[in-house]
Amino acid sequence: MAEENLTSTTQFLLTAFTDCPEQALSLFLLFLLIYLITLLGNAGMVILIRVDGRLHTPMYFLLSHLSFMDICYSSVTVPQMLAVLLEHGAALSYTRCAAQFFLFTFFGSIDCYLLAIMAYDRYVAVCRPLLYVTVMTQKACLGFVAGAYGAGLFSASVRTVSAFTLSFCGTNEIDFIFCDLPPLLKLTCGDSYTQEVVIIVFAIFVIPACMAAILVSYLFIIVAIMRIPSSGGRAKTFSTCASHLTAVSLFFGTLIFMYLRDNSGHSLQEDRVVAVFYTTVIPMLNPLIYSLRNQEVKEALRKVLE
């Protein structure tokens, strides 16, 4: 049968890393350690921001939601990857695969929106410091976060429906660590033009749109920093943005490589390495990035430990 509709498929088989069973245990222990550090670091960041009054500012309010999203984002994919490594493959039902794809897209989209909002927060703090208190009010921050959650929900819903109405043929094996778009598209056959256009359009509304907002914000920030007469003042002002800029570069760099390129001519092994980086390593690094380069967080952590 040349073409088979996805709804007739009862399960998918995740077969990532099965080609190197001798490394499975080592990879399992490594990813388990990274996952535990991710949970501890991001949960610690959320708790620290909640208990320390000095961190009750818009920037740290947004950071607490980013840390919470990193916990959710990682928890959707890493446990599944650990199961694949431990069992040398894993079977996923159609419904579970769709749910995993939806949640991964939902949390990943919110991450993108939050990073864009945090860039706007830094823009107001650096370029409009006298208006910061009146612009970034508690009500405004709640509205920004609610908008990010709502936009993420809408985007994830449309992309999931579009992806799981595609036609698939051949094997139901996915040589990947979870149900993601690139490996699913490699199984498609027949006319999938409409669904792929919808998926690409909503990807454009998330990744490039957020990147454009971030780039514009930092363009104004750089101009404002260059107008500061003293080098010490420029360095101090830029240091308030350095952590966020580092996190943005890592996260969006991997997303661009993964989703905003032609899927033909790229191996799934290459995609697996990139997927491991943005699903496991980046969520682990974010608390370190924001704590090691931030004096306020280090002071709050020292106070709590004492």
Side-chain angles (χ1 to χ4, degrees):
M1 192 173 185
E3 185 172 324
E4 182 181 1
N5 192 278
L6 183 61
T7 55
S8 64
T9 302
T10 58
Q11 67 177 9
F12 293 97
L13 299 176
L14 298 178
T15 60
F17 305 113
T18 54
D19 53 344
C20 49
E22 67 281 354
Q23 300 177 8
L25 181 59
S26 300
L27 291 173
F28 174 84
L29 294 175
L30 174 63
F31 292 143
L32 178 61
L33 177 62
I34 292 175
Y35 181 55
L36 293 176
I37 294 174
T38 300
L39 295 182
L40 181 63
N42 284 287
M45 183 67 74
V46 173
I47 294 171
L48 188 65
I49 292 171
R50 290 288 185 264
V51 300
D52 195 294
R54 292 173 297 178
L55 302 181
H56 291 175
T57 63
M59 181 178 71
Y60 293 111
F61 173 75
L62 297 171
L63 179 57
S64 67
H65 281 273
L66 182 68
S67 295
F68 176 65
M69 283 300 104
D70 280 342
I71 293 174
C72 299
Y73 181 74
S74 236
S75 298
V76 171
T77 57
V78 179
Q80 181 64 69
M81 182 168 58
L82 295 175
V84 171
L85 286 167
L86 193 62
E87 301 170 7
H88 305 292
L92 283 183
S93 66
Y94 165 79
T95 304
R96 187 176 172 185
C97 184
Q100 186 179 59
F101 180 84
F102 169 81
L103 291 173
F104 172 77
T105 307
F106 176 57
F107 296 131
S109 299
I110 295 175
D111 255 10
C112 294
Y113 293 128
L114 287 175
L115 288 170
I117 296 169
M118 292 172 74
Y120 175 73
D121 170 81
R122 292 297 84 205
Y123 156 75
V124 178
V126 174
C127 302
R128 299 289 186 270
L130 299 179
L131 299 176
Y132 185 78
V133 177
T134 57
V135 173
M136 297 301 293
T137 62
Q138 183 179 12
K139 183 177 180 180
C141 291
L142 289 173
F144 282 138
V145 171
Y149 278 66
L153 177 63
F154 180 67
S155 176
S157 300
V158 174
R159 283 168 60 85
T160 302
V161 171
S162 300
F164 283 83
T165 52
L166 290 168
S167 295
F168 289 72
C169 58
T171 179
N172 64 343
E173 291 186 2
I174 300 177
D175 187 16
F176 210 62
I177 56 178
F178 63 97
C179 286
D180 198 9
L181 187 60
L184 285 174
L185 289 179
K186 289 184 181 294
L187 303 179
T188 59
C189 61
D191 185 12
S192 59
Y193 177 77
T194 303
Q195 292 96 325
E196 291 188 23
V197 167
V198 172
I199 291 170
I200 292 171
V201 167
F202 274 86
I204 291 173
F205 274 114
V206 177
I207 301 175
C210 291
M211 282 192 60
I214 292 169
L215 290 174
V216 170
S217 297
Y218 272 101
L219 179 62
F220 283 107
I221 289 172
I222 291 172
V223 171
I225 290 175
M226 295 304 294
R227 290 176 179 172
I228 298 175
S230 66
S231 59
R234 289 195 295 268
K236 184 178 179 180
T237 304
F238 182 76
S239 67
T240 63
C241 308
S243 299
H244 177 257
L245 194 57
T246 303
V248 165
S249 301
L250 289 173
F251 187 70
F252 280 97
T254 53
L255 289 185
I256 290 170
F257 179 84
M258 193 72 175
Y259 297 107
L260 297 184
R261 61 177 171 83
D262 185 10
N263 283 295
S264 61
H266 293 272
S267 67
L268 282 178
Q269 289 185 345
E270 189 179 70
D271 290 345
R272 277 201 320 238
V273 174
V274 179
V276 166
F277 188 75
Y278 70 74
T279 57
T280 60
V281 178
I282 291 179
M284 178 192 69
L285 291 178
N286 278 343
L288 298 176
I289 292 171
Y290 282 102
S291 60
L292 294 177
R293 299 184 62 90
N294 195 305
Q295 191 62 34
E296 291 177 317
V297 174
K298 288 190 285 188
E299 287 294 324
L301 181 60
R302 182 184 60 80
K303 179 181 176 182
V304 169
L305 292 177
E306 288 177 352

